[in-house]
């Protein structure tokens, strides 16, 4: 007599996620016990909702090497190098994820813009999109009762504030950003 959305479909719609993004996130999270921040950033960078950075000449070799060095951190199956288009998309997502990881590791914004060939607004756009997608991923993990929701939340908070793990409590205080938090931490305030 009627069609209704299942609870997961309702959540995806409420979060304004592209259904393909939701499918990618759910597939990645289902196999994750304790994902690393890079794994989370790479997962959301593979979705249609995130505009990936382009690979420039010389990037393929750099990111292929990084892919194999950190292969255990990825959520989902790494495509074969012989699947040219899929592998190149995977590497583009890895480049985007690496930018997000650099931001969350407190790399200076000027160095990030130089390293990745993007403008400050592009960095902010990637960070904002990653924060939204990681928030959605966290809610999907909670809905599916997956153990990885806490790790996804931490990755989201780190990229949102642009800080390493030890500064999350400080940046949780209103008016304290990444630079002030680092100075306070170095002065012994935690």
């Amino acid at each position: 007599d009627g069609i209704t959305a299942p609870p997961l479909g309702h959540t995806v719609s409420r979060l304004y996620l592209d259904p393909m993004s939701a499918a990618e996130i759910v597939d990645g999270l289902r196999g994750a016990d304790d994902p690393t921040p890079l794994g989370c950033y790479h997962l959301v960078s593979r979705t249609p909702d995130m505009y990936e950075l382009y690979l420039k000449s010389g990037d393929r070799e750099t990111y292929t090497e990084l892919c194999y060095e950190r292969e255990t951190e990825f959520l989902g199956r790494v495509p074969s190098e012989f699947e040219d288009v899929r592998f190149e998309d995977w590497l583009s997502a890895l480049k985007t994820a690496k930018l997000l990881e650099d931001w969350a590791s407190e790399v200076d914004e000027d160095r990030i813009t130089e390293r990745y060939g993007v403008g400050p607004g592009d960095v902010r756009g990637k960070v904002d999109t990653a924060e939204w997608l990681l928030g959605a991923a966290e809610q999907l993990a909670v809905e599916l009762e997956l153990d990885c929701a806490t790790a996804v939340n931490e990755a989201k908070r780190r990229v949102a504030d642009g800080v390493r793990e030890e500064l999350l409590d400080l940046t949780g205080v209103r008016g304290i950003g990444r630079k002030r938090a680092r100075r306070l931490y170095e002065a012994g305030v935690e």
Side-chain angles (χ1 to χ4, degrees), residues 133-148:
L133 289 169
L134 288 165
E138 179 186 10
Q139 289 187 37
L140 291 171
V142 168
E143 172 112 10
L144 296 169
E145 299 177 0
L146 301 174
D147 295 333
C148 61

Side-chain angles (χ1 to χ4, degrees), residues 28-93:
L29 293 179
R30 279 206 168 119
D33 293 326
D34 190 26
T36 64
L38 179 69
C40 293
Y41 303 149
H42 186 259
L43 177 64
V44 298
S45 293
R46 293 191 323 249
T47 67
D49 285 311
M50 174 71 82
Y51 293 106
E52 301 168 349
L53 296 175
Y54 294 105
L55 293 179
K56 297 178 182 169
S57 63
D59 280 354
R60 185 177 174 106
E61 185 177 313
T62 302
Y63 289 101
T64 298
E65 187 176 313
L66 181 64
C67 177
Y68 290 122
E69 285 173 10
R70 300 188 65 184
E71 186 172 6
T72 59
E73 296 182 54
F74 298 125
L75 307 177
R77 185 186 72 79
V78 178
S80 165
E81 282 187 68
F82 301 109
E83 300 174 69
D84 277 340
V85 175
R86 287 194 65 227
F87 190 68
E88 188 143 327
D89 286 345
W90 185 271
L91 294 180
S92 293

